[in-house]
Amino acid sequence: LVRLRKALGRLRRRFVLDTFDVFVRPVPRDARSEPPAGYVLRWGTPEDVERCEPQHTELDERERRAGVARLGLGHRVVLGLASDVVVFSMWVNPRCLNVPGLMKRALTGEQWFIYKAFTSPEHRGKKLYEGGMRFVLAAMRAEGRTELVGYAHVKKDVSRKGLAALGFASLGR
């Protein structure tokens, strides 16, 4: 199922021009992280990415290799664990806003870009996305960063609602 979804996504991106909105959110002065009950949130390592299970993270073997490579380029990944099983991931790029095939922009030293968040279907509704976002914001505050950048497809209501609920403002397309 994961392979089919990825193949259909590649096909769609090849023939259809996707439209994305860019969202930004200031880092709050009191940014702090508290994981949802029963979960642990932490920065992931290459070893963590290699052990991710596709049914919980959407990371097949190729995506795990690409994730490890991204970590080597300075990207970071927030992981949500339930009983030592990775059930949530959210990627962070500290250098570029990058919508593959459509847009790439350098960020300022005060910004980070979040992308590719995924929650295992069995763990949805547990506020892992919100917890992951707060984890990133708290890390940004600790490092003196001031703005978090994200994007969402114009038709992906779940992502758009999630960003809006956490105080992101749309900059448009």
Side-chain angles (χ1 to χ4, degrees), residues 139-157:
M140 291 180 74
R141 173 56 59 205
E143 293 187 20
R145 313 288 178 168
T146 60
E147 188 174 63
L148 186 55
V149 180
Y151 74 90
H153 190 277
V154 295
K155 292 184 179 178
K156 195 161 185 182
D157 289 334

Side-chain angles (χ1 to χ4, degrees), residues 33-119:
S33 174
E34 175 117 7
Y39 296 92
V40 172
L41 293 170
R42 64 176 173 81
W43 291 117
T45 65
E47 293 78 20
D48 291 326
V49 172
E50 288 170 347
R51 73 181 179 91
C52 285
E53 299 173 21
Q55 70 269 25
H56 291 301
T57 61
E58 264 196 334
L59 298 176
D60 61 18
E61 183 179 338
R62 184 183 65 79
E63 283 288 326
R64 288 192 303 269
R65 280 194 311 268
V68 168
R70 284 194 304 268
L71 291 174
L73 295 172
H75 294 225
R76 297 171 93 175
V77 63
V78 178
L79 299 178
L81 293 93
S83 302
D84 204 37
V85 175
V86 177
V87 297
F88 169 80
S89 59
M90 177 183 286
W91 291 84
V92 177
N93 184 336
R95 294 187 317 270
C96 296
L97 183 159
N98 188 6
V99 180
L102 298 173
M103 169 183 11
K104 187 169 186 175
R105 292 187 189 145
L107 298 172
T108 70
E110 290 81 39
Q111 296 174 309
W112 279 358
F113 170 61
I114 55 161
Y115 66 102
K116 204 172 176 62
F118 183 81
T119 304

